[in-house]
Amino acid sequence: MKEEQTDVRVLIIYFSLSGQSRGLVNLFASGLKEEGVQVVVEQLRAQRKISFPFKNLLHTLLMMLTTFLRFRTPIEELQPRCFIPYDLIVLSGPTWSYNPSGPVLSLLDRDGRKLFSGRQVLPLISCRGFYRLHDFLLRLQLSRLGAELHESLIFAHPVPEPWRTIGVLLKSSGYCPEKMKYLGTRFPHFGHTVNQLHQARIRGRQTGLKLRAARRQNESR
């Protein structure tokens, strides 16, 4: 007798400091749900609160240095539901100084083998632009942990350089570059656009369709 069909389930684990990754994750999850996928979302929480924006420019530069050196940020324990089987795990977070964020690095160190070994994993990266090293190192570490990787989804802030880096640096330090007379015309918006959020939803729907098709194919064998 054929077993009763079970729901396709996706776990999304993410870290967000300024809210940019959270926005992408929420819309990606909405797209999955529109295709009938059961979604569980788990936000990584630092043991010590990280305030954004940072106190000043010096604090921002110090943060950039420590993240460039891949310092870990200790995180709270994951909920037990994260360790049950899923059809796909989405790991999302921002690029910090060319690297995965400190909380994501802590997750990989502490729970990576248990969480990702033998699992389908899709990296989803939010960044201002310098994501290639982040993506390479994240995929390398996930592969070493035994993950079966999907193509990464990359969402970069759509402002040309050098204005993107200057704007993000000032924004992180507590300024409003969008309102500055000269810089505002070159850095009109911090973060992702409405169109990018819409694209995240579309990619969620596409992913959901692929997962359901794969499930039907497996069940027909």
Side-chain angles (χ1 to χ4, degrees):
M1 183 177 180
K2 188 176 180 180
E3 292 184 2
E4 185 178 347
Q5 181 175 350
T6 56
D7 289 335
V8 174
R9 296 188 300 181
V10 172
L11 170 66
I12 301 178
I13 302 177
Y14 79 97
F15 174 75
S16 184
L17 182 60
S18 66
Q20 299 302 308
S21 294
R22 183 181 301 111
L24 293 174
V25 161
N26 287 340
L27 270 296
F28 188 84
S30 293
L32 287 169
K33 291 174 183 178
E34 287 172 15
E35 297 303 327
V37 175
Q38 192 176 97
V39 182
V40 172
V41 180
E42 178 81 2
Q43 181 177 0
L44 299 181
R45 301 187 183 278
Q47 291 181 0
R48 291 187 178 182
K49 184 179 178 181
I50 308 172
S51 297
F52 185 88
F54 306 121
K55 296 177 181 178
N56 50 48
L57 182 58
L58 180 61
H59 191 179
T60 301
L61 293 173
L62 179 60
M63 186 72 169
M64 291 173 63
L65 176 61
T66 58
T67 54
F68 179 77
L69 296 174
R70 295 173 64 86
F71 279 37
R72 274 52 172 167
T73 303
I75 56 174
E76 302 289 346
E77 294 292 331
L78 299 180
Q79 296 186 61
R81 65 183 183 179
C82 294
F83 299 99
I84 64 176
Y86 289 92
D87 294 270
L88 178 70
I89 299 176
V90 178
L91 179 59
S92 179
T95 297
W96 280 9
S97 302
Y98 304 93
N99 290 296
S101 67
V104 168
L105 290 174
S106 286
L107 173 73
L108 294 169
D109 289 347
R110 189 187 69 193
D111 302 316
R113 183 69 63 181
K114 182 179 180 182
L115 195 58
F116 300 115
S117 181
R119 302 290 183 88
Q120 300 285 328
V121 181
L122 188 159
L124 194 163
I125 295 174
S126 167
C127 59
R128 71 170 188 270
F130 301 115
Y131 64 86
R132 288 179 177 82
L133 182 61
H134 170 182
D135 185 45
F136 172 77
L137 294 174
L138 179 62
R139 294 180 68 86
L140 179 63
Q141 192 161 354
L142 285 168
S143 294
R144 288 174 173 172
L145 292 169
E148 299 176 20
L149 291 169
H150 290 229
E151 182 179 355
S152 302
L153 295 182
I154 310 293
F155 292 87
H157 295 188
V159 176
E161 296 293 356
W163 313 112
R164 180 165 51 191
T165 295
I166 294 171
V168 170
L169 179 63
L170 291 172
K171 189 75 172 182
S172 300
S173 303
Y175 299 96
C176 291
E178 312 95 310
K179 297 182 180 179
M180 294 180 178
K181 185 175 181 180
Y182 180 77
L183 186 57
T185 59
R186 293 160 175 80
F187 187 84
H189 176 73
F190 171 75
H192 301 298
T193 63
V194 172
N195 182 61
Q196 286 181 310
L197 295 173
H198 178 62
Q199 287 300 315
R201 186 174 183 174
I202 291 174
R203 297 304 294 268
R205 292 193 65 180
Q206 292 172 343
T207 300
L209 286 170
K210 289 178 181 178
L211 290 172
R212 297 201 70 83
R215 172 63 67 84
R216 287 193 298 269
Q217 184 176 9
N218 289 335
E219 290 176 344
S220 65
R221 290 176 181 174

